[in-house]
C-alpha cells in the first residue's frame, strides 16, 4: 500500500471516529457486550440455532454493500460467520451507520440464524453496535498474508489474516497441558526456581548478563534450572519438574530462539534407563491426547512415536553412519585422520571423547529422523552426568532425536561432590581459555552435594521443538507467538 493512499485511509478513519465522538457515539467508551454465541458453534450446531436469536461479537473482515441490503463476515475467537444486513431490519439510521463501518472494526451483532439461498449459514442482523474503531487498515490481501517478517513482528495481524495460525497455538496449549497431566499423574510436583541467577549453570551456553542495582551485582538470565531442581532432590523432594523459559545468548535459526521453553524433571533413586522409558511414555501420552494416534507426519515424512524407540550408543551411531570405530581404538591421531577423511572439521587439542562428539555432531545427527536415543556421551561434554562404571571416558547420558533434531537430554545425575567439583574446575579452565559457553564454578551446588544427593535420573525436553513436531512447523518462530526480532528501523 503506497504511503499516500495509506495517509488518506488513516485520515478518513480518524474523521469517522471524530464524527462518532461528536454525536455521542464514541465506541471506545463502550465497556462490554453480552454475547451468547460463537461463529463455529453456530455453524457446527445449526439445527440447534436455526431461527433463533443470538448475540455475537467480533471483527468485521468483509463487507459488500448492495443498496438496501448488504453482506459481511464477522471473525470471532472461533471462526467467521456471514452477516445479512438490511435497511428494513436495522432501520434507516442504523443501516446508514453500518455502511460507514470499516473492515477491521469490532462489532456486536444481534440477529436470527438462518441459511441463505446459496446455502451459507448466516445471521440476519436486527441490531448492530460498533464496539471498537479500527484506525489502521488491514494489510492488502490480508487473507492468506504470507510476509513472514510482518507476520512475526505483528502477530496480531497474522492471527486476523490467517485464522489457522491460532490452531497452532491452541495445540501448543493442549500439548503443555498434556505434559503437565502426565507428570502430575506420575507423582511429580511442579516447582518454580529463579530466573535471575548469580551463576549461569546447569548447561553449556552463553548467558545474558544484567545488573541488579540494589545489590550492585551482575546477574545472569538462567540458561537451565537443573542445579536448583537437584538441590530440591537433596532437600527431600523425590520427583520435581519445572516448565518455563530459558535464555541463551546464542545464534538464531529455524531451531533456535534466544528465549525458549523447556520442561526439566528429576526423580530420585533411578537412572537414565528409567528416563528413556519415561520419555517414550510421555510422547505416547502427548500423541494420543492431542492427535489420537502415535503415527504422525512431519514435513511430509511419516514419524512413528510408538514404543520402543531405537537405541544406540554414540560410538555405535558414529560407526553406523561414518564407518569410524571409536570402540576399537583410543588412538586419537588415527581417529582424527579417519574423521578428516569423511569431512569432519576439527579443532585443536581434541581428546578421544571430544573427537567422538565432533564426528557425531557433524555427521550423524542429520540421519536421525525416526525417534532415536543416543546413549553414553563423553565426559568432556557432560559435566553433570555420572560416569559409566565400565568406561570412565563416558557418562550415563542420552539425548534423543526426532526429525534430525535433538529434542531432549537426560542423565544419571552426577552425585559425587568431589568429582563434580573437579569437573567444574575443568570447565572454569575452559572459560579462562576463552570458551564463554563453559560452565561456572557453583560452590553452593557442590556444598549441596556434600549433604548427599541420592541416585537420580534427570530429563530435559525442549517444548518448542516438541510443539514444532506435533504441529508440523519447520521454524521455531511459527510456534512462538512473539519470536525475538531485530528492531525494525
Amino acid at each position: 500500500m503506497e504511503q499516500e493512499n495509506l495517509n488518506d485511509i488513516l485520515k478518513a478513519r480518524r474523521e469517522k471516529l471524530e464524527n462518532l465522538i461528536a454525536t455521542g457515539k464514541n465506541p471506545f467508551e463502550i465497556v462490554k457486550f453480552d454475547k451468547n454465541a460463537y461463529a463455529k458453534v453456530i455453524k457446527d450446531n445449526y439445527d440447534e440455532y436455526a431461527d433463533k436469536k443470538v448475540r455475537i461479537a467480533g471483527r468485521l473482515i468483509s463487507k459488500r454493500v448492495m443498496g438496501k441490503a448488504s453482506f459481511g463476515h464477522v471473525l470471532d475467537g472461533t471462526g467467521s460467520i456471514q452477516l445479512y444486513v438490511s435497511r428494513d431490519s436495522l432501520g434507516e439510521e442504523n443501516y446508514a451507520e453500518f455502511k460507514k463501518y470499516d473492515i477491521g472494526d469490532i462489532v456486536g451483532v444481534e440477529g436470527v440464524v438462518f441459511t441463505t439461498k446459496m446455502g451459507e449459514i448466516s445471521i440476519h442482523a436486527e441490531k448492530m453496535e460498533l464496539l471498537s474503531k479500527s484506525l489502521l487498515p488491514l494489510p492488502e490481501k490480508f487473507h492468506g498474508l504470507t510476509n513472514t517478517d510482518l507476520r512475526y513482528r505483528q502477530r496480531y495481524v497474522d492471527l486476523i489474516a490467517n485464522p489457522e495460525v491460532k490452531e497452532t497455538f491452541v495445540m501448543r496449549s493442549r500439548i503443555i497441558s498434556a505434559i503437565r497431566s502426565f507428570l502430575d499423574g506420575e507423582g511429580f510436583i511442579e516447582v518454580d526456581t529463579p530466573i535471575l541467577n548469580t551463576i549461569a549453570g546447569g548447561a553449556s551456553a552463553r548467558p545474558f548478563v544484567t545488573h541488579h542495582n540494589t545489590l550492585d551485582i551482575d546477574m545472569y538470565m538462567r540458561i537451565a534450572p537443573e542445579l536448583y531442581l537437584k538441590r530440591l532432590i537433596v532437600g527431600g523432594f523425590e520427583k520435581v519438574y519445572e516448565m518455563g523459559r530459558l535464555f541463551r545468548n546464542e545464534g538464531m535459526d529455524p531451531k533456535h530462539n534466544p528465549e525458549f521453553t523447556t520442561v526439566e524433571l528429576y526423580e530420585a533413586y533411578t537412572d537414565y534407563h528409567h528416563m528413556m522409558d519415561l520419555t517414550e511414555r510421555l510422547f505416547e501420552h502427548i500423541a494420543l491426547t492431542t492427535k489420537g494416534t502415535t503415527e504422525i507426519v512431519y514435513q511430509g515424512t511419516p514419524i512413528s512415536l510408538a514404543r520402543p524407540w531405537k537405541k544406540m550408543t554414540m560410538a555405535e551411531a558414529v560407526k553406523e553412519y561414518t564407518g569410524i570405530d571409536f570402540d576399537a581404538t583410543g588412538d586419537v591421531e588415527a581417529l582424527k585422520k579417519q574423521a578428516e577423511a569423511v569431512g569432519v572439521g576439527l579443532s585443536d587439542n581434541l581428546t578421544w571423547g571430544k573427537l567422538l562428539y565432533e564426528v557425531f555432531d557433524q555427521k550423524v545427527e542429520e540421519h536421525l529422523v525416526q525417534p532415536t536415543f543416543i546413549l553414553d556421551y563423553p565426559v568432556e561434554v557432560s559435566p553433570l552426568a555420572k560416569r559409566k562404571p565400565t568406561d570412565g571416558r563416558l557418562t550415563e547420558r542420552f539425548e534423543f532425536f526426532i526429525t534430525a533434531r535433538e529434542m531432549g537430554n537426560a542423565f544419571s545425575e552426577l552425585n559425587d561432590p568431589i568429582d563434580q567439583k573437579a569437573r567444574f574446575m575443568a570447565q572454569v579452565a575452559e572459560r579462562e581459555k576463552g570458551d564463554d559457553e563453559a560452565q561456572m564454578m557453583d560452590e553452593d551446588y557442590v556444598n549441596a552435594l556434600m549433604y548427599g544427593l541420592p541416585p537420580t535420573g534427570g530429563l530435559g525436553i525442549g517444548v518448542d521443538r516438541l510443539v514444532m513436531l506435533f504441529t508440523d512447523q519447520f521454524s521455531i518462530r511459527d510456534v512462538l507467538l512473539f519470536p525475538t526480532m531485530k528492531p525494525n528501523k
Side-chain angles (χ1 to χ4, degrees):
M1 185 179 297
E2 294 182 2
Q3 188 63 38
E4 184 177 346
N5 290 339
L6 177 59
N7 288 338
D8 290 342
I9 292 172
L10 294 175
K11 181 180 178 182
R13 292 197 177 200
R14 187 63 63 88
E15 288 175 351
K16 288 181 181 180
L17 175 62
E18 291 171 354
N19 289 334
L20 287 167
I21 293 172
T23 56
K25 297 180 180 180
N26 184 353
F28 298 125
E29 291 181 350
I30 296 173
V31 296
K32 66 179 295 187
F33 180 85
D34 292 321
K35 56 187 296 184
N36 61 14
Y38 294 86
K40 186 176 187 301
V41 177
I42 292 171
K43 292 194 288 187
D44 288 349
N45 302 276
Y46 177 71
D47 290 343
E48 179 182 340
Y49 283 93
D51 301 321
K52 292 184 179 178
K53 188 173 292 187
V54 295
R55 288 171 62 85
I56 69 165
R59 188 180 301 275
L60 189 65
I61 58 171
S62 75
K63 188 178 74 167
R64 303 192 313 277
V65 176
M66 300 179 297
K68 297 180 182 179
S70 302
F71 287 93
H73 282 84
V74 165
L75 176 70
D76 68 12
T78 66
S80 67
I81 192 167
Q82 181 170 265
L83 303 178
Y84 172 69
V85 186
S86 68
R87 186 179 65 182
D88 291 343
S89 295
L90 277 189
E92 190 163 340
E93 181 180 348
N94 291 334
Y95 185 64
E97 289 181 356
F98 163 76
K99 290 196 291 185
K100 295 178 183 178
Y101 290 174
D102 291 308
I103 301 299
D105 286 351
I106 308 294
V107 298
V109 181
E110 181 178 303
V112 175
V113 177
F114 77 108
T115 302
T116 66
K117 293 179 180 178
M118 299 299 292
E120 183 167 357
I121 296 172
S122 307
I123 297 174
H124 189 163
E126 296 177 352
K127 295 180 182 178
M128 290 194 72
E129 186 175 8
L130 182 62
L131 304 177
S132 183
K133 184 67 184 167
S134 174
L135 298 178
L136 275 173
L138 294 171
E140 289 186 15
K141 301 179 182 178
F142 76 91
H143 290 290
L145 179 68
T146 58
N147 183 321
T148 54
D149 188 72
L150 178 61
R151 288 181 56 227
Y152 298 145
R153 289 184 186 281
Q154 299 182 7
R155 184 66 83 183
Y156 42 90
V157 177
D158 183 32
L159 292 167
I160 298 168
N162 301 305
E164 69 278 4
V165 169
K166 186 182 295 182
E167 294 305 312
T168 295
F169 296 101
V170 170
M171 176 61 84
R172 181 187 177 102
S173 178
R174 292 179 61 203
I175 289 168
I176 289 173
S177 294
I179 294 171
R180 284 194 164 104
S181 68
F182 175 83
L183 294 177
D184 293 345
E186 291 285 319
F188 285 84
I189 297 173
E190 185 172 10
V191 298
D192 296 306
T193 64
I195 288 177
L196 283 176
N197 300 159
T198 55
I199 293 172
S204 297
R206 184 185 300 117
F208 286 95
V209 185
T210 187
H211 189 79
H212 192 292
N213 290 334
T214 301
L215 298 178
D216 193 24
I217 58 171
D218 284 341
M219 300 190 77
Y220 304 93
M221 302 288 283
R222 72 175 176 193
I223 58 175
E226 177 169 341
L227 302 185
Y228 281 102
L229 292 173
K230 287 193 286 192
R231 284 173 169 91
L232 297 179
I233 300 294
V234 171
F237 285 93
E238 293 191 1
K239 292 184 177 183
V240 295
Y241 78 93
E242 181 172 16
M243 191 179 309
R245 279 292 215 242
L246 304 185
F247 308 85
R248 297 183 182 178
N249 197 356
E250 300 171 342
M252 297 168 59
D253 60 35
K255 296 186 292 185
H256 296 90
N257 192 71
E259 57 175 311
F260 57 98
T261 301
T262 67
V263 57
E264 285 203 20
L265 60 96
Y266 295 86
E267 180 175 346
Y269 308 108
T270 191
D271 64 0
Y272 76 146
H273 292 290
H274 176 70
M275 290 297 113
M276 280 185 271
D277 175 70
L278 194 72
T279 300
E280 289 177 333
R281 291 190 293 110
L282 171 60
F283 270 69
E284 182 179 73
H285 175 81
I286 295 168
L288 294 176
T289 300
T290 64
K291 295 283 194 177
T293 178
T294 56
E295 308 304 309
I296 64 174
V297 176
Y298 181 77
Q299 301 292 294
T301 300
I303 302 292
S304 176
L305 299 173
R307 295 182 282 166
W309 296 358
K310 186 175 182 179
K311 298 176 178 66
M312 292 189 290
T313 68
M314 181 176 285
E316 288 170 345
V318 165
K319 183 178 180 181
E320 178 171 331
Y321 291 104
T322 71
I324 304 174
D325 191 350
F326 276 77
D327 284 331
T329 179
D331 187 338
V332 175
E333 291 305 315
L335 290 168
K336 283 173 66 176
K337 289 179 181 179
Q338 295 180 64
E340 289 172 335
V342 296
V344 177
L346 301 178
S347 58
D348 296 330
N349 302 317
L350 286 174
T351 62
W352 179 89
K354 284 189 175 181
L355 180 59
L356 171 61
Y357 179 78
E358 282 300 322
V359 177
F360 172 82
D361 186 53
Q362 295 183 40
K363 294 297 178 181
V364 177
E365 183 174 335
E366 64 193 62
H367 299 287
L368 306 179
V369 176
Q370 296 301 322
T372 305
F373 291 109
I374 299 296
L375 287 65
D376 302 349
Y377 276 56
V379 69
E380 294 95 328
V381 296
S382 311
L384 298 168
K386 184 172 287 192
R387 292 178 192 265
K388 284 186 69 66
T390 56
D391 189 340
R393 299 173 301 178
L394 302 174
T395 61
E396 292 199 347
R397 172 188 176 188
F398 72 78
E399 290 183 313
F400 65 97
F401 297 80
I402 308 175
T403 67
R405 291 172 174 170
E406 183 255 313
M407 303 288 287
N409 188 20
F411 311 149
S412 295
E413 302 296 333
L414 177 60
N415 60 348
D416 179 344
I418 299 170
D419 189 1
Q420 181 65 81
K421 185 165 186 176
R423 294 202 216 175
F424 276 149
M425 292 298 293
Q427 290 284 300
V428 170
E430 292 298 317
R431 289 188 69 84
E432 290 173 350
K433 293 176 184 177
D435 183 356
D436 56 3
E437 293 188 357
Q439 296 195 38
M440 301 176 182
M441 172 60 70
D442 191 334
E443 293 283 3
D444 181 73
Y445 178 67
V446 174
N447 190 62
L449 294 185
M450 295 284 284
Y451 282 95
L453 172 69
T456 298
L459 170 66
I461 297 173
V463 172
D464 304 311
R465 291 187 186 180
L466 190 156
V467 174
M468 290 166 65
L469 175 68
F470 280 99
T471 59
D472 194 19
Q473 299 295 336
F474 175 75
S475 173
I476 194 171
R477 292 186 173 191
D478 288 315
V479 299
L480 299 174
L481 280 167
F482 301 103
T484 303
M485 302 286 288
K486 188 175 181 178
N488 193 340
K489 295 180 181 179

